[in-house]
Amino acid sequence: MSVIAEIIDTLENKIGKLFSKMQFLEKNNLELRDKLTNATQIIAQQSEQIELLKKQYETLKIANTLLGSEDNKRDTKLKINSLIREIDYCIAQLSD
């Protein structure tokens, strides 16, 4: 009988350890899910900021080009020519 009792005690100990480990892993899993959710939200916010900054950069680049900075003379001429073509097209549409 004592051998059976020892086996049962050993099984109870192992089951208790497994249960404790399972609870720890579940808690750890929840924490990791929370961290993942937070990281996902941060990534989404940063992606929005990146897109906003890209748009602002393009706007500044166009404004700088239209102002005729020395660095972008070619771009300035191309942009002005493009605007003139658009205006000519609009005038042609209005006169039809």
Side-chain angles (χ1 to χ4, degrees):
M1 282 297 256
S2 66
V3 175
I4 293 175
E6 287 179 22
I7 292 174
I8 290 173
D9 286 341
T10 305
L11 283 175
E12 285 178 352
N13 287 338
K14 287 183 180 181
I15 289 172
K17 287 179 183 179
L18 284 174
F19 186 71
S20 296
K21 193 170 191 176
M22 184 181 76
Q23 287 177 333
F24 170 76
L25 290 174
E26 285 177 348
K27 182 181 174 186
N28 194 18
N29 190 15
L30 288 174
E31 290 174 2
L32 289 173
R33 284 184 183 176
D34 288 342
K35 286 182 181 180
L36 178 63
T37 302
N38 291 337
T40 303
Q41 290 174 353
I42 290 171
I43 289 171
Q45 290 172 353
Q46 289 177 343
S47 294
E48 290 175 9
Q49 288 177 344
I50 287 171
E51 289 303 316
L52 179 64
L53 290 172
K54 282 181 182 179
K55 288 178 184 177
Q56 288 176 348
Y57 172 73
E58 287 301 318
T59 302
L60 288 173
K61 192 169 142 183
I62 290 170
N64 194 24
T65 300
L66 291 176
L67 288 174
S69 69
E70 292 296 320
D71 297 336
N72 299 322
K73 280 189 176 182
R74 181 178 178 279
D75 291 339
T76 303
K77 288 178 183 179
L78 291 174
K79 186 65 177 175
I80 290 171
N81 287 338
S82 172
L83 291 171
I84 290 171
R85 279 193 297 276
E86 285 181 32
I87 292 170
D88 287 342
Y89 177 76
C90 290
I91 291 171
Q93 292 292 323
L94 289 173
S95 50
D96 284 344

